Amino acid sequence: MSHVLRDDTVMSKGHAPEEQEIEAGRTLKEDSHYGPHLSSTSFETSGPDTPGLPCSSQSTPSPSEGSGLLSLPWEIVTRIASHLPAQCVISVLPKVCQALGNIGEDSAIWQLRAGRLTGSRVRFPVGSREGYDWPNACLEMEDLITCWEDQAAWVDRHTKARDDGTQAVQGAEVRGEEERRGEADQDAEGFVLAERAEELGVDAVMEVAFEGELEMQADGQRANSKERRRRPEEAAAVAMVKEERCNERGPPEAPEGCGNGGANPQLGGGGAELGVEEAEPLRPLSPTPALERVPLPSMGHYAQVNSVLLIGGEGAVCVSGSRDYNVIVWDLHGGRDATPHMLRGQGLVSSHRGWVWCLASRGSLLASGSFDSTIRLWDLGAGGAERGRISTSAPVLCLSCQPDVLLAGSFDKTISLYDTRLAEPLVKSLQLHGKAVLCLAADEQYIISGSEDYTVAIFDRRAGKTLKRLRLRSYLLSMCYQNGEVWAGDDKGIIHAFSVRSGVLKPLSQFDVGHTSLVTGIHKSPGSLYTSSSDRTLKVHIPCAPPRTLCTLNYQAGVCGLSVESGVLAVASGETSVEVWRPCR
């Protein structure tokens, strides 16, 4: 913070200068994360070594009640605090004194901060402001921007470097082709001169050949000068692309002079087969320090991964379900060396007898739904032992695990409610749609579901009746329900937002965030929005209207799903792979 707010000339009566700086103030100055914002600021309390005591009996101190920061008008104090990191306002200022702790209780301050983060030309939040979790929203947005805008910048630099290298290689290939054509033309000229020698005589032929030699030398000098002027970063990019091309071919087929292999005697050295001046290898681009990408070992699944789920409270465990009939649990503490633990059904060599399509969890209970028309229950607290098996009437397409009930949407148009503690677990079956139920979400009062029949419905669990059914122009495939808002993705790549207030399901907005195909996964929280699609992309957004896209990740195949927990992102990316993005530790 550029303003210096310390006033060393004004002291509280009866206290020496060294007594002014309390232990909490020293902690703030020593904290490397908050230091740049707070190291030049002196905080005053009513006692020399008593952090947490009120600065005054009033929540809004007047200028006469102290010196330093709190002697300023309260509006200026709150404006200054709005420039501090949200985490500092939430967890640090309350430890300094009560008056500064009260800053975090003022929703107007958080709304001011949110407006600065989202921009002035958007609406935030998209739904109702009543009861909105402003502090958590601002905290999530700041973390999201720090992580993913840096990641987007890194991706852009990496892509540009690759594009520059590709263009340079293509240019070198064109120049090489021109040189080969030039040699062919020279050979043709030689034949022509030989044929004309008898007609023109030896002296005339030598004169023509000498003029051609002078022109060739001049062309060579210009080419060498141009090659010497080549930018070092372009030459390095060429080297990187050449290395990647060799790696794609594989070591056995890689020609000599390619990458780190031997020199090509015809071209005069390794790495120069495209006629490019030898350059230092391109140093690896440094990834953003905020995030690390952890690709899970490929030894896990051998068919397409349909579903991923982060569990454990801190994103410490990832579960994946695949078309290879298996459910695999990954302990992410191992990072890239994580060992897959496959769950096996009783009497089976796999988890299910059909594709594993969906996953849900609550506490130590994990449920997996399959095309074999079963839901299998696993006890993660007992090493993933099978806890039970529920037979359904059709393939299970979506699950939601609530404290008192497990909900399943299936291909036969039904939503089934199960009590997993009972020997006969089926509690109730609902038929709210005319086609397969593709996605659902629930809480203790409502069930919201989307179907292939282009409808979205809301059911009141307490009243036992359907409250409303809306018809859309597309069908929903993925859904997230939290804090009275439903966010869902459809088959055309559009994001839909609904509000749920007093049993009324009301459309809020529709957003085109750049997806061109099925939205296969969505996660919405007060300050973040993640979407994945079969168009081979995953996007990270600020959840304003319209959403502000921070980063787009591109994959080699369609993205089948995502899961987010505590800032950790798991992606079912491509054919058989799962990758995790998490904050660097």
Side-chain angles (χ1 to χ4, degrees):
M1 191 163 56
S2 60
H3 301 286
V4 177
L5 301 174
R6 183 167 185 159
D7 186 354
D8 292 323
T9 63
V10 182
M11 303 295 172
S12 296
K13 191 176 283 188
H15 294 292
E18 58 268 23
E19 294 177 339
Q20 294 284 325
E21 188 171 357
I22 62 172
E23 184 67 29
R26 287 198 298 272
T27 301
L28 288 173
K29 291 184 180 183
E30 293 168 0
D31 192 319
S32 61
H33 184 68
Y34 303 117
H37 301 277
L38 298 174
S39 60
S40 62
T41 303
S42 173
F43 297 99
E44 308 246 351
T45 66
S46 59
D49 290 303
T50 320
L53 292 180
C55 295
S56 70
S57 59
Q58 304 294 327
S59 61
T60 305
S62 64
S64 62
E65 292 178 325
S67 60
L69 179 64
L70 294 180
S71 67
L72 298 173
W74 190 245
E75 292 79 6
I76 296 179
V77 175
T78 57
R79 175 73 65 152
I80 292 170
S82 71
H83 290 273
L84 296 174
Q87 185 63 55
C88 176
V89 176
I90 293 171
S91 60
V92 177
L93 293 189
K95 298 178 181 178
V96 178
C97 67
Q98 181 177 331
L100 292 178
N102 289 339
I103 292 175
E105 304 298 324
D106 189 345
S107 64
I109 296 173
W110 292 110
Q111 292 181 37
L112 178 67
R113 181 188 295 266
R116 216 172 41 245
L117 292 169
T118 60
S120 58
R121 297 186 178 181
V122 301
R123 186 172 79 253
F124 182 85
V126 176
S128 172
R129 290 172 169 252
E130 181 182 353
Y132 199 75
D133 189 355
W134 291 99
N136 192 38
C138 292
L139 180 61
E140 287 186 354
M141 283 192 286
E142 288 183 4
D143 290 344
L144 206 69
I145 291 170
T146 298
C147 293
W148 289 102
E149 273 196 336
D150 287 349
Q151 182 65 33
W154 181 83
V155 169
D156 289 343
R157 289 196 302 271
H158 184 69
T159 303
K160 185 177 185 302
R162 290 177 60 88
D163 292 345
D164 289 346
T166 301
Q167 291 173 5
V169 169
Q170 291 172 349
E173 290 174 344
V174 170
R175 288 192 294 274
E177 182 63 26
E178 291 175 350
E179 290 175 2
R180 287 191 292 273
R181 290 178 180 174
E183 293 173 358
D185 292 342
Q186 292 171 22
D187 292 342
E189 279 187 20
F191 288 120
V192 172
L193 289 174
E195 291 175 356
R196 297 180 62 192
E198 296 180 358
E199 302 175 6
L200 300 177
V202 176
D203 293 339
V205 172
M206 291 299 296
E207 182 178 350
V208 173
F210 181 69
E211 291 175 355
E213 180 67 23
L214 290 177
E215 184 177 351
M216 288 171 57
Q217 291 178 1
D219 290 341
Q221 291 175 357
R222 286 194 295 270
N224 291 336
S225 176
K226 182 176 181 182
E227 199 63 49
R228 284 194 297 271
R229 291 196 303 269
R230 180 182 296 280
R231 295 177 300 160
E233 59 268 27
E234 181 182 354
V238 170
M240 180 181 73
V241 172
K242 286 162 51 182
E243 181 71 19
E244 290 183 353
R245 288 187 175 185
C246 294
N247 291 338
E248 289 174 1
R249 295 182 190 127
E253 294 78 23
E256 291 184 351
C258 190
N260 296 324
N264 189 329
Q266 298 179 351
L267 299 173
E273 79 275 40
L274 297 177
V276 180
E277 183 178 348
E278 188 69 22
E280 295 182 3
L282 183 68
R283 288 179 294 178
L285 291 169
S286 299
T288 168
L291 286 173
E292 66 170 336
R293 173 180 172 269
V294 182
L296 298 183
S298 58
M299 66 178 115
H301 294 289
Y302 58 86
Q304 179 173 300
V305 179
N306 291 323
S307 180
V308 288
L309 181 66
L310 288 169
I311 58 178
E314 297 295 330
V317 177
C318 179
V319 185
S320 55
S322 168
R323 296 189 181 190
D324 61 10
Y325 302 0
N326 288 321
V327 177
I328 291 181
V329 179
W330 309 82
D331 184 354
L332 298 183
H333 291 107
R336 296 172 183 266
D337 299 324
T339 302
H341 174 61
M342 191 181 77
L343 305 182
R344 284 187 170 86
Q346 293 182 2
L348 301 177
V349 295
S350 58
S351 306
H352 283 268
R353 298 181 185 273
W355 292 355
V356 181
W357 199 254
C358 49
L359 300 166
S361 73
R362 173 72 63 172
S364 63
L365 173 66
L366 171 68
S368 57
S370 171
F371 264 55
D372 65 2
S373 301
T374 66
I375 301 170
R376 290 189 183 263
L377 308 176
W378 314 92
D379 188 350
L380 298 181
E386 186 173 0
R387 183 167 150 182
R389 174 178 171 273
I390 299 173
S391 295
T392 63
S393 55
V396 181
L397 306 181
C398 50
L399 291 169
S400 177
C401 207
Q402 299 302 309
D404 60 331
V405 70
L406 173 66
L407 298 97
S410 53
F411 189 76
D412 64 354
K413 317 172 192 176
T414 63
I415 299 173
S416 301
L417 286 72
Y418 300 99
D419 187 338
T420 58
R421 299 166 298 180
L422 304 178
E424 296 294 331
L426 181 62
V427 175
K428 182 183 293 187
S429 289
L430 307 174
Q431 190 155 346
L432 310 180
H433 301 280
K435 287 189 176 181
V437 180
L438 302 178
C439 56
L440 62 83
D443 60 12
E444 68 279 357
Q445 184 170 1
Y446 301 116
I447 300 172
I448 301 100
S449 56
S451 169
E452 197 179 5
D453 66 358
Y454 292 76
T455 64
V456 56
I458 180 169
F459 180 85
D460 190 327
R461 292 177 57 191
R462 296 174 182 172
K465 63 179 181 179
T466 304
L467 299 179
K468 193 166 187 178
R469 186 183 292 106
L470 297 176
R471 178 164 292 278
L472 310 175
R473 295 183 179 180
S474 55
Y475 59 84
L476 305 180
L477 289 101
S478 53
M479 182 179 290
C480 181
Y481 174 40
Q482 189 180 63
N483 300 324
E485 290 184 8
V486 177
W487 288 63
D490 70 14
D491 62 317
K492 294 181 172 60
I494 302 299
I495 305 301
H496 300 253
F498 306 87
S499 69
V500 179
R501 297 288 174 182
S502 302
V504 177
L505 181 67
K506 178 182 177 182
L508 294 175
S509 295
Q510 296 181 19
F511 306 111
D512 183 352
V513 296
H515 289 305
T516 58
S517 188
L518 314 175
V519 179
T520 56
I522 187 167
H523 172 86
K524 161 67 170 62
S525 66
S528 68
L529 174 64
Y530 298 79
T531 57
S532 64
S533 172
S534 59
D535 65 4
R536 304 182 181 184
T537 65
L538 183 143
K539 294 177 181 287
V540 183
H541 323 264
I542 296 292
C544 48
R548 172 186 160 198
T549 302
L550 299 177
C551 183
T552 298
L553 301 177
N554 294 280
Y555 294 91
Q556 297 299 315
V559 182
C560 296
L562 62 86
S563 179
V564 179
E565 185 178 63
S566 301
V568 180
L569 167 68
V571 187
S573 56
E575 291 298 325
T576 63
S577 59
V578 177
E579 72 175 24
V580 174
W581 294 83
R582 62 186 181 186
C584 291
R585 293 179 173 84

